[in-house]
Amino acid sequence: QVQLVESGGGLVQAGGSLRLSCAASGRTLSSYGMAWFRQPPGKEREFVAAISWSSGRTYSADSVKGRFTISRDNAKNTVYLQMNSLKPEDTAVYYCAAEYRGSGSALSRVYDYWGQGTQVTVSS
């Protein structure tokens, strides 16, 4: 069993930056592919970024390419999402997710564990 806890969300002006953290307990994250998803108000959950468990290869949605970066620190059992040049349309609840030996899928259904989410609000 893996417990995931997100932190780092908040209110920021457009053009600003935030770094989200996803801390895991229960199991080491080094065996898990990790991802960030988000759910904007009134919309469905969508893929943001992912990182493979073995190669460390990363993937990101077109809407955040060049602005958001996913990374992991296995020693700290933590995954990060660095968000730069934030836009009002990035406003959402952000969730991290884990898939055992995952390759970094954009499909939410493959992930076994989810955090509770952290709110990010970008003002214009």
Side-chain angles (χ1 to χ4, degrees):
Q1 194 78 0
V2 177
Q3 291 80 42
L4 302 173
V5 178
E6 302 96 337
S7 62
L11 174 63
V12 64
Q13 287 191 328
S17 298
L18 282 174
R19 187 176 80 156
L20 304 184
S21 299
C22 173
S25 60
R27 297 278 175 87
T28 175
L29 280 187
S30 60
S31 297
Y32 288 82
M34 300 297 297
W36 288 93
F37 289 80
R38 67 186 182 186
Q39 187 164 17
K43 297 185 179 180
E44 305 233 330
R45 191 174 297 188
E46 63 186 29
F47 170 73
V48 176
I51 185 166
S52 167
W53 81 279
S54 56
S55 67
R57 186 171 178 178
T58 62
Y59 308 86
S60 57
D62 288 343
S63 59
V64 305
K65 263 188 179 65
R67 301 188 299 123
F68 291 12
T69 303
I70 187 171
S71 62
R72 65 193 306 158
D73 185 337
N74 289 336
K76 294 184 177 179
N77 231 25
T78 301
V79 174
Y80 304 98
L81 184 68
Q82 178 66 43
M83 305 187 295
N84 299 328
S85 302
L86 282 160
K87 305 175 181 180
E89 51 263 44
D90 294 318
T91 294
V93 178
Y94 283 72
Y95 300 89
C96 69
E99 179 196 8
Y100 182 65
R101 296 195 174 184
S103 57
S105 175
L107 299 175
S108 61
R109 65 174 183 265
V110 308
Y111 289 89
D112 307 303
Y113 304 101
W114 292 81
Q116 292 299 305
T118 185
Q119 176 71 47
V120 172
T121 303
V122 185
S123 64
S124 57

